[in-house]
Amino acid sequence: MPTIFTKIIRGEIPCYKVAENESHIAFLDINPVAKGHTLVVPKREIDYVFDLPDELLADTMRFAKQVAGAIDRSFNTVRTGVIVDGREVPHAHVHLVPIYKEGQSVSLKNKLSFSEQEMKQIAEAIAGEAAK
Ligand code: AMP
């Protein structure tokens, strides 16, 4: 079933895109919990991440690894954490949450606010690294 992520994939609504290939797209979460909080989304409309066919699930994590590398190189991260939640948007996706302090826990609570200009700059920085 089409969700807001399908509309983003089809280019019907905008996003702060950081990377895309034939089967996946990555864009900034609109309600970030950290600078560079990114969603990695397989283009196939499947709700539950563990309903993805094995090969697609593996591709999702491979793509997530590339994007996480780009996030880590773009900003002064300690590492990038991974969360799969899926309660809000019923289209499988992986949250990549950069960690900026040793020992910091990864959570989807405590949203931050960035201006449109800042979001654009963050996305461009990650996209530039992802394209290398
Ligand atoms: P969940 O389904 O619980 O993993 O959460 C869905 C995530 O998608 C939330 O963190 C939202 O902030 C994010 N989100 C919802 N709509 C958009 C959008 N149009 N662009 C970017 N992120 C979005």
Side-chain angles (χ1 to χ4, degrees):
M1 186 184 150
T3 66
I4 193 154
F5 290 172
T6 296
K7 289 187 176 168
I8 289 174
I9 291 161
R10 290 181 184 156
E12 293 168 4
I13 61 169
C15 70
Y16 298 101
K17 186 161 80 176
V18 305
E20 183 171 14
N21 67 12
E22 260 183 27
S23 55
H24 292 79
I25 188 169
F27 49 86
L28 297 185
D29 193 302
I30 205 75
N31 298 303
V33 293
K35 183 171 89 171
H37 177 182
T38 297
L39 301 177
V40 171
V41 184
K43 293 182 178 178
R44 271 184 71 177
E45 281 166 2
I46 295 174
D47 173 0
Y48 182 37
V49 73
F50 292 127
D51 282 338
L52 295 176
D54 289 353
E55 191 57 32
L56 183 55
L57 180 59
D59 286 346
T60 302
M61 290 312 288
R62 268 191 281 269
F63 190 68
K65 179 179 175 179
Q66 290 169 11
V67 175
I71 293 170
D72 291 337
R73 291 193 301 277
S74 298
F75 307 115
N76 198 19
T77 68
V78 174
R79 62 177 63 206
T80 286
V82 178
I83 297 177
V84 177
D85 188 345
R87 281 174 297 166
E88 191 183 314
V89 179
H91 184 140
H93 56 280
V94 171
H95 293 256
L96 296 179
V97 181
I99 296 169
Y100 290 100
K101 279 187 195 153
E102 281 298 345
Q104 181 193 317
S105 62
V106 182
S107 139
L108 294 177
K109 292 180 187 160
N110 303 325
K111 309 284 187 189
L112 303 179
S113 181
F114 295 96
S115 69
E116 209 177 311
Q117 182 64 15
E118 286 171 324
M119 290 289 272
K120 211 169 155 237
Q121 284 170 354
I122 293 164
E124 280 171 5
I126 301 170
E129 282 298 329
K132 283 182 184 169

